[in-house]
Amino acid sequence: MTNALPDTVTTRQAIIDACRWMNSSGINQGTSGNISVRTGDRGDDMLITPSGVPYADLEPDMLVRMPIDSAPTGNEPLKPSSEWRFHQGLLHSRPDMAAVVHAHPAYASALAINRQTIPACHYMIAAFGGYDVPLAGYHLFGSIELSDEVNRVMQDRHGCLMANHGAIVVGESLDKALWRLEELENIAKVYCLSKQVGDPVILSNAEMDDVISAFANYGPVKV
Protein backbone atom coordinates (compact mmCIF):
# COMPACT_ATOMS: atom_id res chain seq x y z
CA MET A 1 0.00 0.00 0.00
CA THR A 2 1.25 3.47 -0.91
CA ASN A 3 0.27 6.38 1.31
CA ALA A 4 0.27 9.78 -0.37
CA LEU A 5 -1.02 13.25 0.42
CA PRO A 6 -2.49 15.54 -2.26
CA ASP A 7 -0.29 18.33 -3.55
CA THR A 8 -2.59 21.14 -2.45
CA VAL A 9 -2.14 24.45 -0.70
CA THR A 10 -3.55 22.76 2.42
CA THR A 11 -0.88 20.04 2.37
CA ARG A 12 1.88 22.55 1.69
CA GLN A 13 0.69 24.78 4.52
CA ALA A 14 0.57 21.76 6.84
CA ILE A 15 4.26 21.14 6.12
CA ILE A 16 5.08 24.77 6.87
CA ASP A 17 3.05 24.66 10.09
CA ALA A 18 4.87 21.48 11.10
CA CYS A 19 8.25 23.15 10.54
CA ARG A 20 7.25 26.13 12.65
CA TRP A 21 5.90 23.84 15.38
CA MET A 22 9.23 22.00 15.56
CA ASN A 23 11.03 25.25 16.29
CA SER A 24 8.44 26.73 18.65
CA SER A 25 8.36 23.48 20.66
CA GLY A 26 12.14 23.42 20.99
CA ILE A 27 12.48 20.16 19.04
CA ASN A 28 14.43 21.92 16.30
CA GLN A 29 16.46 25.09 15.83
CA GLY A 30 16.77 27.50 12.93
CA THR A 31 16.64 25.88 9.49
CA SER A 32 18.42 22.68 10.53
CA GLY A 33 15.42 20.34 10.23
CA ASN A 34 13.51 19.30 7.13
CA ILE A 35 10.22 17.64 6.21
CA SER A 36 8.98 15.74 3.18
CA VAL A 37 5.65 14.15 2.26
CA ARG A 38 4.75 11.71 -0.48
CA THR A 39 2.45 13.17 -3.11
CA GLY A 40 1.17 12.61 -6.64
CA ASP A 41 -1.64 10.45 -8.00
CA ARG A 42 0.56 7.35 -7.75
CA GLY A 43 2.57 8.50 -4.76
CA ASP A 44 5.76 8.76 -6.85
CA ASP A 45 6.63 12.40 -6.08
CA MET A 46 7.43 14.23 -2.89
CA LEU A 47 7.19 17.72 -1.48
CA ILE A 48 10.20 18.78 0.58
CA THR A 49 11.24 21.92 2.39
CA PRO A 50 13.71 24.12 0.47
CA SER A 51 17.33 24.60 1.44
CA GLY A 52 18.26 27.50 3.70
CA VAL A 53 14.90 29.28 3.92
CA PRO A 54 13.86 30.35 7.46
CA TYR A 55 10.60 28.69 8.43
CA ALA A 56 9.03 32.05 9.22
CA ASP A 57 9.54 33.06 5.58
CA LEU A 58 8.17 29.88 3.97
CA GLU A 59 5.25 30.16 1.59
CA PRO A 60 3.38 27.18 0.08
CA ASP A 61 4.85 27.70 -3.40
CA MET A 62 8.40 27.57 -1.98
CA LEU A 63 8.17 23.86 -1.20
CA VAL A 64 10.02 21.78 -3.76
CA ARG A 65 8.27 19.01 -5.66
CA MET A 66 10.57 16.29 -6.98
CA PRO A 67 10.44 12.64 -8.02
CA ILE A 68 10.92 9.90 -5.43
CA ASP A 69 13.04 7.76 -7.75
CA SER A 70 15.38 10.26 -9.43
CA ALA A 71 17.44 13.41 -8.85
CA PRO A 72 15.80 16.86 -8.56
CA THR A 73 14.65 18.16 -11.92
CA GLY A 74 15.98 21.69 -11.40
CA ASN A 75 12.68 23.10 -12.63
CA GLU A 76 11.65 24.40 -9.20
CA PRO A 77 12.51 27.98 -8.19
CA LEU A 78 14.31 26.82 -5.00
CA LYS A 79 16.69 23.97 -4.25
CA PRO A 80 15.43 21.09 -2.08
CA SER A 81 16.86 20.55 1.38
CA SER A 82 20.44 19.31 1.30
CA GLU A 83 19.13 16.13 2.95
CA TRP A 84 16.78 15.28 0.06
CA ARG A 85 18.58 12.00 -0.58
CA PHE A 86 17.55 10.23 2.61
CA HIS A 87 14.03 11.65 2.39
CA GLN A 88 13.79 10.30 -1.14
CA GLY A 89 15.34 6.97 -0.17
CA LEU A 90 12.99 6.41 2.76
CA LEU A 91 9.85 7.27 0.80
CA HIS A 92 11.02 5.07 -2.07
CA SER A 93 11.74 2.06 0.14
CA ARG A 94 8.78 2.53 2.50
CA PRO A 95 5.60 2.85 0.41
CA ASP A 96 3.59 2.41 3.63
CA MET A 97 4.90 5.76 4.88
CA ALA A 98 3.68 9.19 3.77
CA ALA A 99 6.06 11.55 5.59
CA VAL A 100 9.67 11.90 6.73
CA VAL A 101 10.70 14.37 9.45
CA HIS A 102 14.29 15.18 10.42
CA ALA A 103 15.37 17.48 13.24
CA HIS A 104 18.09 18.13 15.81
CA PRO A 105 16.26 17.71 19.16
CA ALA A 106 18.65 18.31 22.06
CA TYR A 107 18.40 15.06 24.05
CA ALA A 108 18.22 12.80 21.02
CA SER A 109 21.17 14.65 19.51
CA ALA A 110 23.15 14.33 22.76
CA LEU A 111 22.76 10.55 22.67
CA ALA A 112 23.62 10.55 18.96
CA ILE A 113 26.80 12.51 19.71
CA ASN A 114 27.72 9.81 22.24
CA ARG A 115 26.83 7.27 19.53
CA GLN A 116 24.34 5.50 21.75
CA THR A 117 21.12 3.77 20.86
CA ILE A 118 18.06 4.15 23.08
CA PRO A 119 17.22 0.76 24.63
CA ALA A 120 13.77 -0.37 25.75
CA CYS A 121 13.80 1.89 28.80
CA HIS A 122 10.12 2.73 28.23
CA TYR A 123 7.33 0.86 26.50
CA MET A 124 6.93 3.75 24.03
CA ILE A 125 10.04 2.45 22.28
CA ALA A 126 7.48 0.25 20.48
CA ALA A 127 6.39 3.34 18.53
CA PHE A 128 9.61 2.94 16.54
CA GLY A 129 9.07 -0.66 15.48
CA GLY A 130 11.54 -2.67 17.53
CA TYR A 131 13.40 -3.25 20.79
CA ASP A 132 15.35 0.00 20.66
CA VAL A 133 15.82 3.22 18.72
CA PRO A 134 18.84 2.36 16.56
CA LEU A 135 21.78 4.53 15.59
CA ALA A 136 22.78 5.30 12.01
CA GLY A 137 26.52 5.65 11.59
CA TYR A 138 28.11 9.00 10.79
CA HIS A 139 28.49 10.28 7.23
CA LEU A 140 28.61 13.79 5.77
CA PHE A 141 25.23 15.52 5.74
CA GLY A 142 23.47 15.36 2.39
CA SER A 143 25.70 12.55 1.15
CA ILE A 144 24.73 9.37 -0.66
CA GLU A 145 26.56 7.44 2.07
CA LEU A 146 24.37 8.98 4.78
CA SER A 147 21.24 8.20 2.78
CA ASP A 148 22.32 4.58 2.33
CA GLU A 149 23.10 4.24 6.04
CA VAL A 150 19.80 5.77 7.17
CA ASN A 151 17.89 3.52 4.79
CA ARG A 152 19.75 0.46 6.06
CA VAL A 153 18.97 1.22 9.70
CA MET A 154 15.36 2.26 9.01
CA GLN A 155 14.47 -0.75 6.87
CA ASP A 156 12.11 -2.10 9.53
CA ARG A 157 11.98 0.86 11.94
CA HIS A 158 10.03 4.09 12.26
CA GLY A 159 12.81 6.22 13.72
CA CYS A 160 16.51 6.37 14.44
CA LEU A 161 19.28 8.56 15.81
CA MET A 162 22.00 9.77 13.47
CA ALA A 163 25.56 9.78 14.82
CA ASN A 164 26.81 13.30 15.61
CA HIS A 165 23.77 14.71 13.85
CA GLY A 166 20.17 14.35 15.03
CA ALA A 167 17.10 12.19 14.59
CA ILE A 168 14.76 11.08 11.83
CA VAL A 169 11.29 9.53 11.85
CA VAL A 170 8.74 8.35 9.30
CA GLY A 171 4.96 8.36 9.52
CA GLU A 172 1.90 6.97 7.82
CA SER A 173 0.76 10.60 7.86
CA LEU A 174 2.50 13.88 8.63
CA ASP A 175 0.72 14.05 11.99
CA LYS A 176 1.96 10.58 12.93
CA ALA A 177 5.54 11.44 11.95
CA LEU A 178 5.41 14.56 14.15
CA TRP A 179 3.94 12.49 16.99
CA ARG A 180 6.82 10.02 16.69
CA LEU A 181 9.39 12.81 16.69
CA GLU A 182 7.95 14.32 19.87
CA GLU A 183 7.83 10.88 21.52
CA LEU A 184 11.42 10.19 20.48
CA GLU A 185 12.72 13.36 22.07
CA ASN A 186 10.74 12.70 25.26
CA ILE A 187 12.11 9.16 25.53
CA ALA A 188 15.64 10.46 24.92
CA LYS A 189 15.14 13.02 27.67
CA VAL A 190 13.80 10.60 30.30
CA TYR A 191 16.50 8.05 29.40
CA CYS A 192 19.21 10.67 29.95
CA LEU A 193 17.60 11.70 33.25
CA SER A 194 17.21 8.09 34.41
CA LYS A 195 20.91 7.47 33.87
CA GLN A 196 21.69 10.46 36.09
CA VAL A 197 19.71 9.10 39.04
CA GLY A 198 20.57 5.41 38.75
CA ASP A 199 20.80 2.43 36.43
CA PRO A 200 17.85 2.28 34.02
CA VAL A 201 15.93 -1.01 34.05
CA ILE A 202 15.47 -2.18 30.47
CA LEU A 203 12.36 -4.09 29.37
CA SER A 204 13.02 -7.58 28.06
CA ASN A 205 12.38 -8.60 24.46
CA ALA A 206 9.44 -10.70 25.65
CA GLU A 207 7.94 -7.69 27.43
CA MET A 208 8.48 -5.54 24.37
CA ASP A 209 6.89 -8.20 22.12
CA ASP A 210 3.68 -7.80 24.14
CA VAL A 211 3.83 -4.02 23.71
CA ILE A 212 4.60 -4.18 20.00
CA SER A 213 1.66 -6.52 19.37
CA ALA A 214 -0.62 -4.04 21.18
CA PHE A 215 0.72 -1.07 19.19
CA ALA A 216 -0.90 -1.74 15.83
CA ASN A 217 -3.37 1.13 16.12
CA TYR A 218 -1.58 3.31 18.67
CA GLY A 219 -0.99 6.99 18.04
CA PRO A 220 -2.83 9.63 15.98
CA VAL A 221 -5.46 8.41 13.56
CA LYS A 222 -4.05 8.29 10.04
CA VAL A 223 -5.66 10.83 7.73
Side-chain angles (χ1 to χ4, degrees):
M1 179 180 66
T2 298
N3 288 327
L5 301 176
D7 183 357
T8 62
V9 173
T10 299
T11 297
R12 288 170 175 254
Q13 187 61 50
I15 296 170
I16 294 170
D17 292 344
C19 290
R20 292 172 179 168
W21 170 81
M22 287 198 302
N23 280 17
S24 65
S25 67
I27 282 179
N28 195 59
Q29 312 80 33
T31 60
S32 58
N34 29 76
I35 293 177
S36 65
V37 301
R38 182 191 305 279
T39 191
D41 294 338
R42 295 176 294 176
D44 52 5
D45 287 342
M46 71 180 190
L47 290 170
I48 187 168
T49 47
S51 177
V53 178
Y55 294 154
D57 296 338
L58 279 178
E59 298 291 342
D61 61 358
M62 293 180 178
L63 298 179
V64 180
R65 182 165 177 158
M66 59 174 287
I68 283 177
D69 59 359
S70 60
T73 63
N75 296 328
E76 297 283 336
L78 296 175
K79 293 181 179 179
S81 165
S82 61
E83 303 287 18
W84 64 265
R85 287 182 175 86
F86 66 61
H87 284 266
Q88 183 187 66
L90 286 170
L91 290 174
H92 184 268
S93 64
R94 298 293 300 273
D96 55 325
M97 296 294 153
V100 179
V101 180
H102 164 58
H104 298 170
Y107 286 92
S109 296
L111 292 171
I113 288 168
N114 285 342
R115 302 200 177 185
Q116 295 178 316
T117 63
I118 307 178
C121 58
H122 193 285
Y123 75 87
M124 285 299 294
I125 288 290
F128 305 97
Y131 302 139
D132 65 358
V133 176
L135 176 74
Y138 178 78
H139 293 282
L140 180 67
F141 74 93
S143 66
I144 294 174
E145 292 80 6
L146 178 59
S147 177
D148 289 345
E149 173 67 2
V150 167
N151 275 272
R152 181 188 68 80
V153 171
M154 292 274 283
Q155 187 173 16
D156 58 354
R157 299 300 180 89
H158 303 324
C160 76
L161 304 181
M162 305 164 69
N164 299 87
H165 193 151
I168 186 169
V169 297
V170 294
E172 296 86 342
S173 66
L174 178 55
D175 283 346
K176 199 152 189 179
L178 294 171
W179 169 75
R180 283 198 177 106
L181 181 63
E182 187 172 29
E183 289 293 339
L184 177 55
E185 175 63 352
N186 184 63
I187 291 171
K189 180 178 181 178
V190 297
Y191 181 52
C192 289
L193 292 173
S194 72
K195 293 203 295 182
Q196 292 178 21
V197 299
D199 295 321
V201 176
I202 306 304
L203 297 173
S204 69
N205 287 359
E207 289 170 324
M208 285 301 299
D209 284 338
D210 290 339
V211 180
I212 291 169
S213 66
F215 241 72
N217 297 310
Y218 199 95
V221 175
K222 182 178 67 177
V223 295

